[in-house]
Amino acid sequence: MPTSPGHKVPFLDVLNPAFDFDTPEVYAAQAESWYANSPIGLLVLRYEEANDLLRDRRLDHDGKRYMETHGIFDGPIYDWFVPMIVNHEGEDHRRLRGLMNKAFTARRVARLRPFIREQSEQLTDRLAGAGTCDFVSEFGIRLPLAVMCRLLGVRPEDYDRFGTWTADLGLVFGLSTGGDVIARVENAVNGLNDYADHLIDEKTARPTDDLGSDLIAAHQADDGQVSREELRNLLVTLVFAAHDTTRHQLANAMVAFSEHPDQWTLLGRQPELAAQAVEEVIRWLPSSATVYRFAAEDFDYQGLRIEKGTYLTMCVKVAQRDPRAYKIADRFDITAVRDMPPLQFGAGPHHCLGAALARVEVGEALTVLTGRLGPPSVMGPVSWPGPLGIQGPETLPLRFG
């Protein structure tokens, strides 16, 4: 375990089932030190250091090591995760990212906005007369699922299958939680791999106006620089990225506003605050509560010797409430102009390609919901996953005022 001379390093047991990042213990550790030790490695608690290390080329994702750390050495999950675009560096990463950039453009995201608004309105109409509802199943899952399927050109009759697969695929960042997680992720990978192969064949024969067709056309024009297996992996990863984190971010937004109903009412009166509200929701309750990296080499950082292979967890939720980075960091305020960008989308060459789309989805949803419904109240137990990886309620019983 890395140590730094000169001060006592806090220890946080993130594998304890009762552990929660949003506790006085964690913020006391943040005040004491920029990092803490844990059973899984180094926890980075402050914004400046987390932002710095996310951009540091001496760290990488090392998907192979991540899998092996969790006892997975082969099989469908391993074969999907290890070659994933985020686990490539240098020229390989630029090659795969270049293909994505040709298809996943700002223009395509902008063209989706009317569809996102229409879907938000339809789903909100259903909530309006529902009394108490499970927001996750009735809105949080459905909106990004519809957008992702529209984006890729997936048939509407396949939406429900996709919803199950993409939700389960997100559990790959919570493999430490045990249970049937590995079996669920494996089933999701197998299902999405088969569907991606079908989609490639279908869009090759009959291209349409969607990202899936554009991605396949760009692949064909690249004269073999990206293999079919790499294209399939990109499609499966895109399916996961476009759905799972956004569904959790939408649910997290409802939790935040249920605790701050005055902010909901304010946004309903001033929809021009929607963009700021999105940034504040992402800061306050990010769907990526933690982001991991491995040390690719030995190096020194702020007097700390970090050895090659060290597992570092950027504690996004904690760092985004760091009073050193934000004024009034412990207050949820959609009128506040926050100068520091969120950490959950990563930084540098690996900055999330879907960040703009996620912001549009959450912004359109909040504009419609606050314009038509009163503030949400949580009406029963809320089911949360463990504290690591992608974070958001699995169920969220709400009643809108």
Side-chain angles (χ1 to χ4, degrees):
M1 188 70 66
T3 57
S4 178
H7 73 278
K8 182 181 177 182
V9 180
F11 181 85
L12 298 174
D13 187 3
V14 295
L15 296 185
N16 184 325
F19 180 81
D20 184 352
F21 276 115
D22 193 14
T23 60
E25 174 196 15
V26 174
Y27 292 109
Q30 183 190 62
E32 185 177 350
S33 172
W34 66 266
Y35 74 96
N37 290 324
S38 82
I40 63 172
L42 202 66
L43 305 177
V44 182
L45 303 175
R46 294 181 183 173
Y47 182 95
E48 181 180 354
E49 288 80 2
N51 187 45
D52 195 22
L53 289 167
L54 282 172
R55 299 170 186 274
D56 198 314
R57 299 298 182 89
R58 297 170 296 184
L59 301 177
D60 61 24
H61 291 78
D62 199 344
K64 181 175 182 292
R65 183 182 289 271
Y66 178 81
M67 285 285 105
E68 293 175 355
T69 297
H70 292 89
I72 299 175
F73 297 89
D74 54 26
I77 302 174
Y78 187 96
D79 293 342
W80 162 63
F81 192 86
V82 173
M84 193 193 302
I85 183 172
V86 298
N87 294 322
H88 289 276
E89 303 294 334
E91 182 54 40
D92 269 346
H93 179 260
R94 286 189 291 272
R95 176 174 57 87
L96 295 171
R97 181 115 179 176
L99 181 68
M100 292 291 287
N101 286 338
K102 291 176 183 177
F104 203 168
T105 63
R107 178 172 172 267
R108 181 161 292 284
V109 171
R111 286 169 58 191
L112 277 170
R113 190 181 287 272
F115 177 78
I116 296 169
R117 172 63 68 98
E118 177 188 353
Q119 292 295 307
S120 298
E121 290 172 345
Q122 291 177 7
L123 293 170
T124 300
D125 287 343
R126 294 171 59 175
L127 295 181
T132 299
C133 65
D134 175 26
F135 180 84
V136 173
S137 62
E138 295 301 319
F139 195 109
I141 288 176
R142 292 176 184 271
L143 177 63
L145 180 61
V147 174
M148 181 268 296
C149 289
R150 176 70 167 243
L151 187 68
L152 292 179
V154 172
R155 298 172 304 204
E157 56 266 32
D158 295 333
Y159 282 17
D160 288 341
R161 280 196 298 167
F162 258 71
T164 300
W165 288 335
T166 56
D168 286 349
L169 204 60
L171 297 172
V172 73
F173 295 116
L175 294 175
S176 302
T177 56
D180 63 347
V181 166
I182 291 177
R184 289 169 63 185
V185 176
E186 187 170 301
N187 180 66
V189 170
N190 287 332
L192 285 167
N193 275 340
D194 289 345
Y195 198 95
D197 276 331
H198 162 75
L199 199 66
I200 292 169
D201 291 338
E202 182 179 294
K203 299 297 181 182
T204 299
R206 292 174 294 277
T208 52
D209 183 20
D210 52 61
L211 176 66
S213 296
D214 287 354
L215 200 56
I216 291 160
H219 164 253
Q220 292 170 332
D222 271 354
D223 196 26
Q225 291 187 44
V226 175
S227 69
R228 181 184 172 105
E229 290 72 26
E230 288 175 321
L231 176 62
R232 182 180 69 180
N233 192 288
L234 285 171
L235 284 168
V236 173
T237 303
L238 182 61
V239 164
F240 153 64
H243 180 229
D244 197 55
T245 52
T246 305
R247 79 182 180 99
H248 284 303
Q249 195 61 70
L250 287 164
N252 289 352
M254 295 305 104
V255 172
F257 279 110
S258 71
E259 297 168 349
H260 303 88
D262 58 316
Q263 298 287 293
W264 179 278
T265 303
L266 176 62
L267 182 55
R269 291 199 307 261
Q270 297 180 236
E272 65 274 14
L273 290 173
Q276 280 181 212
V278 171
E279 297 307 305
E280 188 68 346
V281 162
I282 290 171
R283 182 190 75 87
W284 188 253
L285 278 182
S287 57
S288 295
T290 60
V291 176
Y292 83 88
R293 294 287 189 272
F294 286 99
E297 59 185 78
D298 297 340
F299 66 98
D300 294 317
Y301 182 78
Q302 293 203 10
L304 176 67
R305 184 64 176 172
I306 298 178
E307 297 179 356
K308 181 178 180 179
T310 298
Y311 188 69
L312 295 94
T313 300
M314 315 301 163
C315 300
V316 172
K317 183 177 178 181
V318 179
Q320 290 183 173
R321 299 193 194 184
D322 184 354
R324 297 157 195 79
Y326 299 97
K327 294 179 180 178
I328 323 178
D330 60 350
R331 180 184 302 173
F332 178 74
D333 182 0
I334 66 170
T335 68
V337 178
R338 309 289 189 181
D339 295 327
M340 310 302 287
L343 298 171
Q344 79 162 359
F345 295 124
H350 288 284
H351 184 266
C352 177
L353 265 171
L357 178 60
R359 285 181 164 104
V360 170
E361 289 186 58
V362 177
E364 291 293 337
L366 288 178
T367 300
V368 173
L369 285 163
T370 59
R372 297 190 178 191
L373 303 176
S377 298
V378 177
M379 302 303 293
V382 177
S383 171
W384 291 82
L388 302 173
I390 297 173
Q391 182 79 187
E394 296 295 334
T395 59
L396 182 60
L398 292 184
R399 180 183 292 272
F400 290 90

